[in-house]
Every structure is written in C-alpha cells, then in structure tokens.
Amino acid sequence: MDMDPPFLETYKTLLDKATEGRANGQKEVVIIEECELPLIDLGRLNLGKLEKEKCKSDIARESQEWGFFQVVNHGISREILEKMMSEQVKVYRQPFNNKSKELFNFSSGTYRWGTPTATCREQLSWSEAFHIPMNDIPFSNGFSSLSSTMEQFATTVADLAQKLAAILAEKLGFKSNFFQENCLSSTCYLRMNRYPPCPIPSEVFGLMPHTDSDFLTILYQDEVGGLQLVKDGKWFAVKPNPEALIVNIGDLFQAWSNDVYKSVQHRVVTNPRVERFSTAYFLCPSCDTEIQSCYEPSVYKKFSFRMYRQQVQDDVKKLGRKVGLPRFRV
C-alpha cells in the first residue's frame, strides 16, 4: 500500500541475509507464553484511607516486581481514547510521501520509520511513528480534529503520569515536587505508533528489544497484541486489555530509586496480516536535570538526562543497540 514505508526496498540487503539464514535452518522457533499484566483499579485512590494506601502499595509493588502494570478507572474517558485511536488511524492512512514530508508541520524529525542505524535484521524495527514534543500540541495545520483530540489525550495522560510518579516517590519515603518541577510539557513526548503487516514476521521485530529512557511511560494500545516483556528472565506476550492503560517504569526511575523500581526489556513483534496501533506518553525531564539515586550507597553515578541520551545515541551508533543504565553503574 502506498501508505506503508518502503521497508523491503530500503532494507533489502539485511532482509536477504535473513532469508539466507532461514534457508540454512538457522532460525529457531520460540513459543512465547501469554500473560496478563497486574491490574490496578485507580478508583481505589478515591476511597477510604486504608484502601487508598493499599492501592499506592500495589502500584509500588508491581513497579518493583514487574516494572509493568495496567490501570483502569484512570480518569481518561473511553470517548477520548477511542477518538485518539480513530484520529491516529486517519493520520497513517495518508500516503507515505506525505508523512515523510512533514505534512503535519511538527518539529523536524518527528516522523520516523524503520531503523536507519540497523546493520542486521535483529536491529530493524518494522514500524513507523510520530514522536511529538508536547510543546507542539495543539497545532494548526488543517488537522483540527487530530489536534484537539491529541490535546485532550495529552493533557489527561500527563496528569496521570504526574500522579503515578508522585505515588512512587512517596512509597520510597519522598514527598517531593521533583517531577512537577523537572518533567514539564516542554520536556515530555507523545508517540503515535503504527506497526504495518510484515511478510516475514518471524525474522523482524515491530520494535526491537529495549528499555525506555524516561521516568514513566503510559501506553494506550489496540486489541491486536504484540507487546512482549521480560519477567524472571523469560519473554512473555502481554494480553491486550481494551479497558486499561499500560504503565511501565523507565531507566531514569530505576536510577532515581536506586534499583528499587525496575525498567525492564520489552519489544513488539510483527503480525503478517494485521496492522497494530498504539500511543505512548513519555514522562521526561529537561536535558539539564540531574538524576541522582535517592538512597545511599548509590548504585549509579550522578548524571544529567543530556549525558544519558548522548550515551544511548553513541552506543546505538557504535554497537547497533542501546546499553543504557549499566554505563552509569558505580
């Protein structure tokens, strides 16, 4: 379809090598077990003191044990979520050439697809995305319905991220304004993802294994499935829940919590027949924000978000993959 990026043409050399390997019997078939993420009803935060504290403890516990959980009664209406998905689908129905020409007047480099740095098929991501700074929302470019819907979604999900971050800090013994002061609309991002059908799903990821370089990520996804994560050293496929939002801990929260909360590896697998959509919100600080473990002795050296992002970019360029937090261990 003319809306799809030219994956096969652009990455022909990498994919031909994968085909050769498959012909030589080098590809191992791995069966991935499905799991349901821990489910937390945030409506409990509005009940009595005892139930409210139990809910906060559940949030902290799942952030330690899983690094992922899902939430319902999160304050974002079903109407907003469905409209966001509908508008997102419309955007991706635009011809590829329009999307790649910055049709929507976002900041330069907002539209991304594939993996330009890939040197082998394991590093290739069969997906496209609009990675949008919150400062770019709302926008005026002829897509008024998308703009207003995105603004509603972004505003409410940002409030949710701040609420969850504050709870996680509180359960570490800190009632600070750190996240309100450092994670502003000018530093956070919204990412609209599309994973087109892939003719070689056993060979290529929709999104290669990684951890998130932020404090918190909040994800809204469709019911297609494809998200997988590591738990106890094994990969599990996450069963979609249309009523829930997925929350996961990022690298910065793991460092800030001194390894109490876990930023875990996750990935998206491709589907040969069906496209998949999701929208993610990333709670990020300003580049100059210093990340320092809240406990002593600290597991990590103090670093700025700018230093961390630069190290990630350098590693991806040199190694083809992100190394992340191990670079900053004491």
Side-chain angles (χ1 to χ4, degrees):
M1 302 173 70
D2 66 353
M3 68 181 182
D4 289 341
F7 292 106
L8 291 174
E9 297 84 353
T10 304
Y11 296 105
K12 184 177 186 302
T13 301
L14 297 185
L15 298 175
D16 283 350
K17 288 180 182 178
T19 302
E20 291 171 10
R22 188 168 65 250
N24 294 330
Q26 295 175 6
K27 182 65 177 177
E28 179 184 358
V29 177
V30 179
I31 304 300
I32 304 294
E33 184 180 339
E34 189 176 58
C35 72
E36 291 193 30
L37 291 178
L39 181 65
I40 298 176
D41 182 351
L42 296 184
R44 295 159 57 202
L45 294 172
N46 301 318
L47 300 179
K49 183 177 180 181
L50 184 60
E51 192 60 36
K52 180 178 181 179
E53 291 308 312
K54 283 183 178 178
C55 183
K56 290 180 179 180
S57 296
D58 287 348
I59 291 169
R61 184 185 65 249
E62 305 307 351
S63 297
Q64 294 176 50
E65 296 181 2
W66 282 79
F68 268 80
F69 55 94
Q70 52 187 344
V71 294
V72 293
N73 290 322
H74 38 64
I76 304 172
S77 72
R78 189 72 195 165
E79 181 184 3
I80 291 177
L81 293 176
E82 290 177 350
K83 191 73 185 299
M84 183 69 214
M85 187 64 70
S86 172
E87 292 297 328
Q88 181 176 349
V89 170
K90 289 179 189 176
V91 167
Y92 281 113
R93 291 289 178 267
Q94 297 290 323
F96 169 72
N97 287 338
N98 286 358
K99 290 180 285 190
S100 60
K101 288 176 182 175
E102 304 292 347
L103 170 69
F104 305 100
N105 295 330
F106 292 132
S107 301
S108 177
T110 293
Y111 177 68
R112 308 168 182 185
W113 65 277
T115 312
T117 57
T119 57
C120 61
R121 60 146 178 100
E122 290 86 358
Q123 298 168 1
L124 174 60
S125 291
W126 194 280
S127 56
E128 56 181 331
F130 285 94
H131 194 76
I132 308 162
M134 292 286 281
N135 267 5
D136 282 2
I137 305 169
F139 46 89
S140 55
N141 54 15
F143 293 85
S144 58
S145 182
L146 171 65
S147 177
S148 61
T149 302
M150 194 178 291
E151 183 179 18
Q152 284 181 294
F153 178 85
T155 300
T156 49
V157 81
D159 289 343
L160 175 60
Q162 285 286 349
K163 178 189 294 187
L164 293 172
I167 289 170
L168 288 168
E170 179 186 330
K171 298 309 289 185
L172 291 172
F174 294 89
K175 287 184 183 264
S176 73
N177 294 321
F178 177 85
F179 299 100
Q180 288 182 326
E181 293 171 355
N182 292 284
C183 300
L184 311 173
S185 60
S186 58
T187 65
C188 298
Y189 294 84
L190 203 66
R191 183 181 176 107
M192 298 191 301
N193 303 298
R194 175 179 176 258
Y195 301 89
C198 177
I200 46 171
S202 64
E203 304 294 342
V204 180
F205 291 114
L207 195 60
M208 63 184 289
H210 67 287
T211 57
D212 290 349
S213 300
D214 63 353
F215 278 108
L216 276 180
T217 304
I218 299 179
L219 180 78
Y220 173 54
Q221 62 171 348
D222 62 19
E223 298 181 52
V224 171
L227 176 64
Q228 299 182 348
L229 58 82
V230 172
K231 177 75 166 70
D232 299 327
K234 290 174 56 181
W235 283 100
F236 289 88
V238 175
K239 184 177 180 179
N241 181 341
E243 302 301 321
L245 296 177
I246 291 176
V247 181
N248 68 277
I249 300 296
D251 298 342
L252 302 187
F253 226 138
Q254 177 168 327
W256 194 80
S257 70
N258 212 33
D259 274 357
V260 174
Y261 301 138
K262 300 295 187 284
S263 176
V264 304
Q265 286 262 323
H266 52 285
R267 65 192 183 191
V268 177
V269 295
T270 50
N271 188 300
R273 297 174 298 278
V274 185
E275 61 187 347
R276 174 181 182 266
F277 293 93
S278 67
T279 302
Y281 172 84
F282 299 94
L283 184 68
C284 299
S286 66
C287 287
D288 294 326
T289 298
E290 288 196 332
I291 311 301
Q292 185 172 8
S293 297
C294 59
Y295 293 132
E296 296 291 344
S298 176
V299 178
Y300 300 98
K301 295 175 281 190
K302 184 166 63 174
F303 59 87
S304 70
F305 187 39
R306 176 180 282 107
M307 290 169 57
Y308 191 75
R309 290 205 307 183
Q310 187 60 54
Q311 184 65 61
V312 168
Q313 291 170 7
D314 291 346
D315 285 335
V316 169
K317 191 172 182 180
K318 293 174 185 175
L319 307 174
R321 63 181 177 85
K322 169 186 171 179
V323 176
L325 284 178
R327 290 289 193 201
F328 294 88
R329 285 196 173 271
V330 172

